[in-house]
């Protein structure tokens, strides 16, 4: 939220530990466990630092264990392949010697090609004049984002409903890799709750991310308003799938997101 004292870029200032190994700490926000988007975004940053300036075009991450905000994170990058146009990196994020996330990222040199997208949905109000959600302190995200919700939260006040507008509340510079990492960070906001089947009980015994994917279609900027919209696709066997998009104010599609969540019903 905009009142957070933590600078948005500090989270991605990774400390080199050796060849293709890095370390990062977590911002002090009082969360009981690490926000998954933070670990994915920092893992992508570690991959970007070994990719020679090639921009990422996709990432696929598996969440293995919950992370603790009180322990530093180690990132080990494997250079799977460097081709003429593409590079592939495999990142293992660990705490206490145990992996908590595995991420594969692919990088692509810019090329000329067709520029087309499906027509964006119409009728969504712009960010100006919309309300900013009030989230419980322990659920607020650690870096500075301005958020404007299109639909007000329900009676519980949380989770924050999709769609919503979001942008960085302070300058983040022009590094395209940093913007991509911040997209990876914010792409995990509110997705688990959006994977629930419509009309299903809100109270669940378990609601956590299993795996997460992002495709970067066009160079993003997080210091301008982006519309993040996520919808459920299917629920079965205590798992739910959601798909989403990130668009600019003029409807340009910057990124697509897919996430599978573990949604175990609460006991009656």
């Amino acid at each position: 939220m905009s009142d957070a004292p933590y600078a948005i870029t500090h989270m991605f200032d990774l400390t080199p530990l050796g060849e293709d190994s890095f370390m990062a700490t977590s911002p002090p926000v009082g969360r009981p466990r690490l926000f998954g988007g933070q670990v994915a975004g920092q893992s992508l940053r570690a991959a970007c630092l070994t990719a020679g300036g090639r921009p990422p075009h996709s990432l696929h991450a598996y969440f293995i264990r919950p992370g603790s905000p009180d322990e530093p994170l180690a990132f080990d990058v494997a250079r799977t392949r460097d081709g003429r146009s593409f590079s592939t990196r495999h990142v293992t994020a660990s705490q206490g010697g145990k992996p908590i996330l595995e991420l594969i990222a692919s990088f692509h040199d810019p090329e000329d090609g067709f520029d087309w997208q499906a027509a964006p949905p119409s009728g969504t109000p712009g960010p100006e004049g919309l309300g900013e959600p009030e989230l419980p302190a322990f659920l607020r995200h650690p870096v500075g984002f301005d958020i404007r919700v299109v639909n007000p939260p329900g009676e519980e006040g949380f989770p924050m409903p999709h769609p919503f507008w979001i942008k960085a509340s302070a300058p983040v510079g022009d590094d395209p890799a940093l913007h991509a990492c911040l997209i990876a960070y914010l792409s995990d906001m509110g997705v688990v709750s959006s994977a629930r089947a419509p009309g299903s009980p809100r109270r669940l015994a378990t609601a956590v991310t299993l795996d997460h994917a992002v495709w970067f279609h066009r160079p993003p900027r997080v210091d301008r308003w982006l519309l993040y919209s996520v919808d459920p696709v299917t629920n079965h066997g205590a798992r739910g799938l959601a798909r989403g998009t990130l668009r600019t104010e003029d409807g340009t599609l910057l990124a697509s997101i897919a996430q599978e969540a573990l949604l175990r019903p609460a006991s009656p």
Side-chain angles (χ1 to χ4, degrees):
M1 303 296 290
S2 59
D3 60 349
Y6 193 83
I8 195 170
T9 56
H10 289 176
M11 188 182 301
F12 302 99
D13 293 336
L14 306 189
T15 302
L17 295 178
E19 185 177 2
D20 296 345
S21 294
F22 307 89
M23 183 183 72
T25 56
S26 299
V29 292
R31 292 175 61 95
R33 62 185 182 185
L34 286 179
F35 172 52
Q38 173 195 327
V39 186
Q42 289 175 322
S43 297
L44 179 60
R45 185 61 165 174
C48 288
L49 292 174
T50 72
R54 280 180 172 170
H57 75 87
S58 66
L59 67 84
H60 299 261
Y62 285 90
F63 294 86
I64 301 171
R65 293 181 177 90
S68 169
D70 299 324
E71 294 183 47
L73 280 155
F75 304 93
D76 295 300
V77 183
R79 303 190 184 216
T80 307
R81 179 178 183 269
D82 285 306
R84 288 181 295 178
S85 300
F86 290 87
S87 294
T88 306
R89 298 291 185 266
H90 181 182
V91 184
T92 300
S94 303
Q95 282 187 324
K98 296 181 179 180
I100 65 171
L101 178 139
E102 299 278 355
L103 178 142
I104 297 176
S106 184
F107 300 79
H108 181 208
D109 279 331
E111 297 185 34
D112 293 331
F114 299 108
D115 191 358
W116 175 89
Q117 67 173 44
S122 60
T124 302
E128 302 302 330
L130 295 179
E132 186 173 5
E134 285 294 332
L135 303 181
F138 73 94
L139 290 171
R140 292 179 181 173
H141 295 282
V143 295
F145 285 104
D146 288 331
I147 298 173
R148 300 291 183 269
V149 293
V150 174
N151 301 309
E155 294 180 359
E156 300 89 347
F158 184 85
M160 182 172 56
H162 278 267
F164 58 83
W165 293 94
I166 184 168
K167 72 170 181 176
S169 57
V172 296
D174 296 321
D175 178 4
L178 179 57
H179 283 267
C181 293
L182 284 163
I183 290 292
Y185 176 94
L186 68 85
S187 69
D188 193 33
M189 291 185 181
V191 185
V192 170
S193 59
S194 296
R196 294 170 44 252
S200 62
R202 186 169 297 279
R203 189 172 69 89
L204 296 168
T206 305
V208 295
T209 304
L210 293 172
D211 52 89
H212 188 77
V214 182
W215 293 266
F216 302 95
H217 308 303
R218 295 169 177 85
R221 289 200 67 98
V222 297
D223 50 5
R224 300 169 185 169
W225 284 115
L226 301 175
L227 179 64
Y228 192 16
S229 180
V230 174
D231 294 295
V233 177
T234 185
N235 277 209
H236 182 74
R239 299 191 312 275
L241 180 68
R243 285 198 299 251
T245 58
L246 275 162
R247 298 179 183 270
T248 63
E249 286 192 84
D250 66 3
T252 301
L253 180 63
L254 297 185
S256 295
I257 296 92
Q259 184 178 110
E260 188 177 40
L262 180 62
L263 304 171
R264 287 180 176 146
S267 301

